[in-house]
Amino acid sequence: MELVPVRCRIPELIARRREMEPKSSEIKINQQWLADKVSLSKQQMSDYIHLRSGYQSMGIQRAALIAYYLDCLIDDLFVWEWR
C-alpha cells in the first residue's frame, strides 16, 4: 500500500486565502499570484492542481512554501488515500 494524492486542494485554499484579504486590498489572490510567489510558471502550478506528472516533482521545500502562502499545513495541499 502507498499513500497517494487523489485531489488537489490548492484552488479551495486559494479561495480561502482570498477571503482573508481585506476588501480594500489591491492584491489579486489567484493561481497566478501563488505561482509568482513560489517562482513557478502558471502551467507548472496547473500541473500540480490537476495532478499531472509535474505534481510528483513538487519537493518538500516547494510544498512548504505553497503551504506558507496559503496559510495551511503541507498535508492540507492534497486529499490523500491509501491504495
Side-chain angles (χ1 to χ4, degrees), residues 31-49:
Q31 187 176 325
Q32 183 64 58
W33 169 84
L34 183 59
D36 291 343
K37 288 290 188 184
V38 298
S39 301
L40 283 175
S41 68
K42 189 174 179 182
Q43 181 61 50
Q44 183 67 45
M45 182 61 69
S46 178
D47 288 346
Y48 288 168
I49 290 170

Side-chain angles (χ1 to χ4, degrees), residues 42-60:
K42 189 174 179 182
Q43 181 61 50
Q44 183 67 45
M45 182 61 69
S46 178
D47 288 346
Y48 288 168
I49 290 170
H50 297 292
L51 299 179
R52 290 190 282 260
S53 61
Y55 84 91
Q56 295 171 337
S57 65
M58 181 192 296
I60 191 74

